[in-house]
Amino acid sequence: MITRTDEIFAAVHKAKVIADVGCDHGLIAEKILKNNKAEKVIFTDISKKCLKKAEDLLNDFAEAGMAVSYCTDGLTGVNEHVDEVVIAGMGGEEIIKILSECADRLNVERLVLQPMKNSKEVREFLIKNHFAVGLDYTFYSDKKFYDLITATRLPSDITDFYTADEYEFGRQNLKIKETGFVKKIETDIASVKSWLKSDNLSETAKVELENRLKKLESVLTDRF
């Protein structure tokens, strides 16, 4: 079975310098270096305890000058050019905060993002800030659903376009309807149907749930 870490790693492109933000134990950074996807990895975490575990794991690469650690929020304090940034396992609002601080300053060309929530807001931020979204899909691993989004910088006079449904559900999900996404929508449908059986619903809440149910069912049946 493909793990969450494997799924994220597979989305990483080969680049000169890759930053792993919020690296936790350093597993993705290790995969990147062991598979020669980067000449150098900058790995950061706001937690000294987590960073120490990553530093121990990546010690040999650090001694070879291929890995550099920073105990910092996002990429604050990092001043060298970064080709690609990986941010996984954070909420969408935190991802947006980090990118707002570093993407332009470090001239980042490509992003690999795995928001734990607020994926819609992440998509909106990317489009607004002249990134073209590439991969944008939901996968299922270890009994949880995850969104994975990649994006590449566009010239400042060019803007990608997303519809309202694409912002909410993800462009690739709507077009291809892969297994992970279908399973998530089916789970959401079951949840809404369960809520509709409640005896304590107001008329307003009932109408909202019924509308939501129609939307979710249409996502599975309509062609986008």
Side-chain angles (χ1 to χ4, degrees), residues 50-147:
C50 286
L51 189 64
K52 179 63 168 60
K53 292 178 180 179
E55 288 172 336
D56 290 343
L57 181 67
L58 301 170
N59 182 63
D60 290 345
F61 293 107
E63 289 184 350
M66 298 171 65
V68 179
S69 66
Y70 288 83
C71 187
T72 187
D73 182 7
L75 285 167
T76 302
V78 178
N79 295 310
E80 62 183 288
H81 170 69
V82 175
D83 300 292
E84 185 164 331
V85 171
V86 180
I87 310 178
M90 297 185 194
E93 291 181 355
E94 183 64 20
I95 289 175
I96 290 169
K97 173 178 173 290
I98 291 169
L99 293 177
S100 297
E101 189 280 325
C102 77
D104 288 336
R105 179 173 61 81
L106 300 179
N107 196 28
V108 177
E109 293 297 323
R110 189 171 185 271
L111 306 168
V112 178
L113 311 173
Q114 188 270 291
M116 300 299 287
K117 59 181 180 178
N118 301 123
S119 297
K120 178 186 176 208
E121 287 74 13
V122 172
R123 295 180 184 110
E124 290 172 342
F125 172 86
L126 294 172
I127 300 301
K128 181 180 178 181
N129 287 274
H130 303 284
F131 281 90
V133 176
L135 298 175
D136 186 359
Y137 68 96
T138 301
F139 66 94
Y140 184 74
S141 177
D142 196 24
K143 300 181 181 180
K144 293 181 180 179
F145 296 103
Y146 301 99
D147 288 330

Side-chain angles (χ1 to χ4, degrees), residues 8-51:
I8 296 165
F9 168 74
V12 174
H13 283 184
K14 192 169 185 178
K16 186 173 182 180
V17 180
I18 296 176
D20 181 7
V21 177
C23 64
D24 196 32
H25 293 184
L27 297 178
I28 293 174
E30 182 188 40
K31 279 181 172 287
I32 290 170
L33 289 166
K34 280 188 172 182
N35 289 275
N36 300 311
K37 280 196 173 184
E39 295 178 17
K40 179 180 179 181
V41 168
I42 295 170
F43 60 105
T44 78
D45 204 289
I46 199 168
S47 165
K48 289 183 179 180
K49 184 177 180 181
C50 286
L51 189 64

